[in-house]
Structures are given as structure tokens and as C-alpha cells.
């Protein structure tokens, strides 16, 4: 019995100590939740008020050729992503990014994602550091150097635009 009580207290203590790395507020205009700070895809998927996440996964199938190219090349890059939980463009693009990265088994440690408020502020100086003016913004880095970004929307498709950035970077490296 003492052992069971100890286990219950340990679990309760662990859960009480677990805190979000992000700040949660409510948009005064729309009543939507705003997550501000470092996020994971799981944080977005687990929030019941973010039904847009799973809804925007429905029907998305990345183009096979570009996805294979990304599976071979994207793991050599790191991604820094800025999104707004209040932003329709983020609602559309971020679930697709999740699907794409998940399908190609992209290494999670190579992805950093931040939620921002309407002023594009996370919890620190990330807006200034990465020059964020619109969301979503997906920035690709190779060897800690920015090689390209997708800002607000895609030109052709998410996988095609990411593959295009990498192809251009590889061409630039070979000059």
C-alpha cells in the first residue's frame, strides 16, 4: 500500500512539474488560443481547440518525386518554423509540414518551431533574430547558414518549394 501511494505521488508530482515551454493567451478579437514560444507538433495536435490541425491533414498527399528527393536531402538541413495558432495560413500549411516530415521520418531534433502572437513575437528575441514579418515562415539552414525560406504561402506545393530551395543550395555549393 505504501508503495502504491509512493507511485501515485510520483506520477502526480511529475505531471504537476510538467509545464509548457510556451505561453497561452486568448486573442481579444477572435477568442482563439494563442500559443507563444517553443512548440512541437504534438502540442498543436493535443489541443482540443485546434481541430484545424487534423482537418487540414485530410486529403494531403505529398507528390512522390519531391518527397523522395526531400527524404534523401532534407535531413542534411535544419528547419526553424514560425507559426500563429490564430493564423489561417498557418492552419493550412503547418499540418501539411507535419505530414510531410512525418512521412519522410525527418529527424525531430533538426526542427525548431515557435508559436507567435499577432505581432510575430515568441517569448524571446526570435522575431528579430530571424527577421519574421509573416507567418507561417519555414527557414532552412545548412551548417547554421540560412539557405532559403517559405513565407506565408507556397508557390507550387510545400514539398516542391522545399525541394527547390535545396536544389538551388546544392547548385550554389557546386559553383
Amino acid at each position: 500500500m505504501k508503495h502504491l501511494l509512493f507511485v501515485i505521488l510520483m506520477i502526480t508530482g511529475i505531471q504537476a512539474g510538467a509545464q509548457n515551454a510556451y505561453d497561452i493567451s486568448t486573442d481579444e478579437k477572435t477568442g482563439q488560443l494563442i500559443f507563444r514560444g517553443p512548440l512541437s507538433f504534438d502540442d498543436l495536435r493535443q489541443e482540443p481547440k485546434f481541430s484545424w490541425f487534423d482537418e487540414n491533414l485530410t486529403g494531403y498527399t505529398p507528390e512522390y518525386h519531391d518527397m523522395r528527393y526531400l527524404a534523401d536531402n532534407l535531413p542534411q538541413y535544419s528547419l526553424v518554423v514560425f507559426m500563429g495558432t490564430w493564423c489561417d495560413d498557418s492552419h493550412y500549411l503547418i499540418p501539411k509540414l507535419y505530414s510531410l516530415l512525418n512521412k519522410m521520418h525527418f529527424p525531430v531534433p533538426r526542427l525548431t518551431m515557435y508559436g507567435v502572437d499577432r505581432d510575430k513575437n515568441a517569448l524571446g528575441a526570435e522575431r528579430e533574430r530571424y527577421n519574421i514579418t509573416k507567418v507561417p515562415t519555414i527557414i532552412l539552414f545548412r551548417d547554421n547558414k540560412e539557405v532559403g525560406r517559405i513565407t506565408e504561402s507556397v508557390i507550387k506545393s510545400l514539398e516542391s518549394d522545399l525541394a527547390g530551395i535545396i536544389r538551388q543550395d546544392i547548385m550554389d555549393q557546386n559553383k
Side-chain angles (χ1 to χ4, degrees):
M1 185 66 170
K2 285 183 182 180
H3 180 67
L4 179 62
L5 182 59
F6 175 74
V7 170
I8 291 171
L9 289 173
M10 286 296 295
I11 291 171
T12 305
I14 289 170
Q15 289 175 342
Q19 294 184 351
N20 301 329
Y22 51 89
D23 179 54
I24 302 173
S25 61
T26 303
D27 187 308
E28 293 177 9
K29 267 175 36 179
T30 65
Q32 292 178 308
L33 284 183
I34 295 177
F35 283 15
R36 197 168 56 98
L39 299 173
S40 70
F41 288 118
D42 286 340
D43 294 327
L44 300 173
R45 294 196 77 202
Q46 291 171 5
E47 172 51 56
K49 291 186 178 183
F50 294 162
S51 59
W52 51 263
F53 196 95
D54 286 334
E55 288 167 7
N56 285 319
L57 284 174
T58 305
Y60 173 66
T61 304
E63 194 276 321
Y64 180 78
H65 178 73
D66 286 327
M67 190 177 82
R68 287 300 330 140
Y69 181 82
L70 290 172
D72 292 340
N73 293 284
L74 190 58
Q76 296 144 29
Y77 294 79
S78 58
L79 300 175
V80 177
V81 177
F82 288 84
M83 60 92 54
T85 57
W86 46 268
C87 168
D88 289 340
D89 291 329
S90 293
H91 293 179
Y92 175 78
L93 200 56
I94 297 304
K96 289 168 177 46
L97 178 64
Y98 165 78
S99 177
L100 178 64
L101 297 179
N102 193 39
K103 286 178 181 174
M104 54 180 275
H105 306 288
F106 185 78
V108 174
R110 300 195 61 82
L111 170 73
T112 303
M113 184 163 51
Y114 297 97
V116 298
D117 61 19
R118 288 186 178 275
D119 294 324
K120 314 309 181 285
N121 291 313
L123 290 178
E126 294 87 3
R127 181 184 70 179
E128 294 82 13
R129 178 178 178 200
Y130 294 103
N131 192 29
I132 301 304
T133 59
K134 297 179 180 180
V135 291
T137 297
I138 303 166
I139 310 170
L140 279 78
F141 290 88
R142 181 185 39 79
D143 300 327
N144 296 318
K145 178 183 174 236
E146 181 177 334
V147 298
R149 63 174 61 196
I150 295 171
T151 304
E152 198 170 27
S153 61
V154 295
I155 296 168
K156 184 176 177 189
S157 69
L158 179 60
E159 61 275 12
S160 175
D161 290 10
L162 287 171
I165 291 169
I166 292 172
R167 284 185 182 101
Q168 184 62 52
D169 181 53
I170 291 171
M171 284 179 22
D172 292 346
Q173 289 177 56
N174 292 328
K175 285 184 181 177

